[in-house]
Amino acid sequence: MSMEKKPTSDQLLSLYRVMLTIRRSEEQLAKMFAAGLVHGACHTYVGEEAVATGVCAHLRAGDMVFSTHRGHGHALAKGVSPGALMAELLGRETGVSRGRGGSMHLFSPEVGMMGTSGIVAPCILQATGAAYAFKLKGLDNVGVAFFGDGASNNGAFHEGINMAGAWKLPAIFVCENNLYATEIAYSSVTANPEVATRAASFGIPGVAVDGNDVLAVYKAAEEAVRRARAGEGPTLIECKTYRTRAHAEGMRDAGYRSQDEINAWKQRDPIATFRKHLLEDEDAGEPELQKIESDVESGTVAAAKFAQASPYPDPATALTHVFAEETNR
Amino acid sequence: MRELTYTAAAREALTEEMARDSTIFVVGEGIGPRGGNFGTTLGLYELYGPMRLRDTPIAERGFIGMCTGAAMAGARPIVDFMMVDFILDAMGEIINQTAKMQYMSSGRIKMPIVLRGSIGIGKAAATHHSGAYYSIFANVPGLRVVVPTTPYDAKGLFKTAIRSDDPVIFLEHKLLLNNKGPVPEEEYLIPFGQAAISREGKDVTVVAIAAMVQEALAASDALAKEGVSVEVIDPRTISPLDIDTILASVHKTGLLLVVDETPAMCGVGAEIAAQVVDRGFDDLDAPVRRLNGSAVPVPYSPTLEGAMLPGAGSIAAALRELLAE
């Protein structure tokens, strides 16, 4: 985990706090799903927290993130509160999308979270478009797309990255290669197991990193964000990672991958690994880490209470926001 | 009043709006230095340069999705897709993303994007260059669908489209592009959802879409010689649809024919007929009639193309039948 420019102690502890917040929030959501409180889908990010955390650590509120169906971690890392996330999955008015979205449509433009999506790959095009708008307006903001290995075989991957490369747009394409698109092994649907190497065909840099190592992701993203802000164009980052829960809550997690494989990846848990590293490198002591853990724990409990106490949206508002100009429908 | 072609009128709207708002940019194939296949952006590249007149790869899904993201980030993209048939490759982006973005974000993200290009049968352009598809778009919550017929309407409606915070599908019929008509020097905008009464009459109402308005007007001339007074209504926007103007006309005439070059099944004519029967049944002296293009892929040869399409003759014949009811 060597770094050229080592993050400060505060930055390191912040990475730990964000990863833990994602983990605890999703464990809470899994409980709520099991209790029947979540009305629709719930795809957790457990095991992949280092990716969103390492990338979003470099982003400002004006930078924009475009995400996937597995987007709770991206939303939280970009600044959405656990309460607003949980309330959304519970279908409440206080939810991040005010009950119109659920897990797969999390929107918080106030913090640059521009949506999770039930469709694979449009996020790549939209991040490219946001980057175009930033360049048009002369801003040094960046557009970031998070997507899975599945999206890398979709036409939008080719079309979006090609345009971003051709026009040197400030975009960052973060592929979370967790080996499976839903339950289809990546190796069974592509002859090239490497996503990062595809960058060469677009004439842009492509880097592969250990997606379970938050510092490796942090470092790759740091360079990608620097390049983007400096007008040097987009970067493709492939983060090799793994989800340790099922594709979605309530789904069987068998028949397409082995328990041995899952156990092996659990041994490489990004949060436990990072905690051990912080202690070994003496970047943090037990008391500091335990303080963060108890803060996150109480925050999670408060968020769950807030979500469950929140009202459902008024049915009379079901037809609002189809158009900006509601008159003359 | 001075006269401009339909294309020149729309281009004037674009030129004026781009001068007014620096966040507007246009993407498409050959819309930069070349000025567009139909001259839609002629001369603009020299004024505004490559960031605002962006030639794209042939990747409709890609650049429409890209423009959706740009609109989310506060720009005002205009997609010049040349032929509407080409954006069928981007239907997932348009229907699942562009049209739903405002709702999904509970109104916190606007979607100021215009998707403009040509439609229409009649130039032996064959099946991949002759579609219209406005009924499909009108079926999608969140899209405005605009089909101007005159140069005056093209300019006034294009300005409204560009300034709208909603996604607008702006469809320009190939047979109308070179038509000339009066266009005022001074600025004007035409609101969506207001039909034009193209010809006033009292005996029978014809609602016609795009190039069919010309055919309906020609049929009306023929019937005028037979002493029949035909009212021709051009909805101008398919969504929102100005049903009130149509109902008022039917109240006056008691008879309605809807003429549309696209297939009848689930089409605009079906929608208009259903709404008129629902709200104006007592005004009707006969069932609502529809005259449509045939439900076939558009053929190439002019004799085949002509055989599938309504025209002034078949419209006049349909009107005589309706009047005889």
Side-chain angles (χ1 to χ4, degrees), chain B:
Chain B
M1 196 185 295
R2 68 178 177 154
E3 296 215 328
L4 292 179
T5 65
Y6 184 104
T7 297
R11 189 172 56 230
E12 188 170 89
L14 179 60
T15 312
E16 290 173 9
E17 291 304 301
M18 287 189 81
R20 197 182 58 80
D21 184 344
S22 64
T23 66
I24 297 171
F25 70 100
V26 186
V27 306
E29 294 145 8
I31 57 86
R34 178 169 161 246
N37 198 43
F38 295 109
T40 49
T41 54
L42 213 57
L44 292 178
Y45 183 84
E46 288 72 18
L47 289 175
Y48 299 119
M51 274 312 285
R52 300 188 65 197
L53 277 298
R54 175 62 71 184
D55 278 333
T56 63
I58 300 175
E60 275 73 14
R61 179 187 176 190
F63 59 72
I64 289 174
M66 186 277 271
C67 285
T68 298
M72 293 170 78
R76 303 187 80 88
I78 297 171
V79 177
D80 191 329
F81 52 74
M82 203 184 315
M83 313 278 182
V84 72
D85 311 81
F86 302 160
I87 64 166
L88 300 185
D89 277 3
M91 288 301 260
E93 299 305 323
I94 296 169
I95 294 175
N96 259 329
Q97 309 295 329
T98 317
K100 294 178 181 173
M101 199 56 73
Q102 299 192 80
Y103 193 79
M104 290 194 294
S105 67
S106 64
R108 286 171 295 163
I109 294 174
K110 304 297 178 211
M111 190 45 62
I113 180 172
V114 182
L115 306 175
R116 66 103 54 118
S118 75
I119 58 170
I121 306 168
K123 287 265 189 186
T127 197
H128 286 166
H129 290 63
S130 298
Y133 307 109
Y134 32 70
S135 299
I136 296 175
F137 295 116
N139 193 248
V140 178
L143 295 182
R144 305 293 195 190
V145 184
V146 181
V147 188
T149 302
T150 66
Y152 177 86
D153 292 349
K155 182 172 180 187
L157 287 166
F158 201 35
K159 284 212 162 206
T160 303
I162 293 170
R163 293 191 198 180
S164 173
D165 280 335
D166 294 320
V168 180
I169 311 273
F170 193 88
L171 303 171
E172 300 154 284
H173 200 291
K174 288 191 282 293
L175 292 181
L176 303 174
L177 297 177
N178 292 322
N179 287 0
K180 276 195 163 183
V183 178
E185 304 266 1
E186 61 272 20
E187 175 158 290
Y188 65 96
L189 282 81
I190 301 172
F192 294 160
Q194 285 189 8
I197 297 172
S198 304
R199 178 192 182 109
E200 288 199 38
K202 57 183 174 44
D203 295 332
V204 58
T205 302
V206 179
V207 174
I209 316 288
M212 287 298 128
V213 175
Q214 299 188 132
E215 301 298 318
L217 289 171
S220 306
D221 286 342
L223 264 74
K225 290 181 186 130
E226 300 164 23
V228 177
S229 166
V230 180
E231 180 144 297
V232 179
I233 294 175
D234 171 5
R236 299 195 291 194
T237 63
I238 304 292
S239 178
L241 180 68
D242 178 7
I243 197 68
D244 291 338
T245 295
I246 296 169
L247 284 166
S249 181
V250 171
H251 181 71
K252 183 166 65 173
T253 65
L255 296 171
L256 175 62
L257 171 71
V258 187
V259 186
D260 173 20
E261 71 178 47
T262 72
M265 180 78 171
C266 300
V268 179
E271 178 61 32
I272 291 172
Q275 290 201 39
V276 168
V277 168
D278 188 34
R279 290 177 56 193
F281 186 77
D282 291 343
D283 289 330
L284 286 168
D285 297 329
V288 178
R289 288 294 167 89
R290 287 183 286 161
L291 196 57
N292 284 81
S294 305
V296 294
V298 180
Y300 166 67
S301 177
T303 57
L304 299 174
E305 189 187 53
M308 63 161 294
L309 204 58
S314 58
I315 296 169
L319 286 173
R320 288 188 196 103
E321 274 181 37
L322 186 54
L323 287 155
E325 288 264 350

Side-chain angles (χ1 to χ4, degrees), chain A residues 165-184:
Chain A
W167 305 329
K168 282 210 176 314
L169 301 181
I172 299 167
F173 303 105
V174 183
C175 178
E176 301 174 325
N177 185 351
N178 66 10
L179 304 179
Y180 299 92
T182 311
E183 302 190 351
I184 306 297

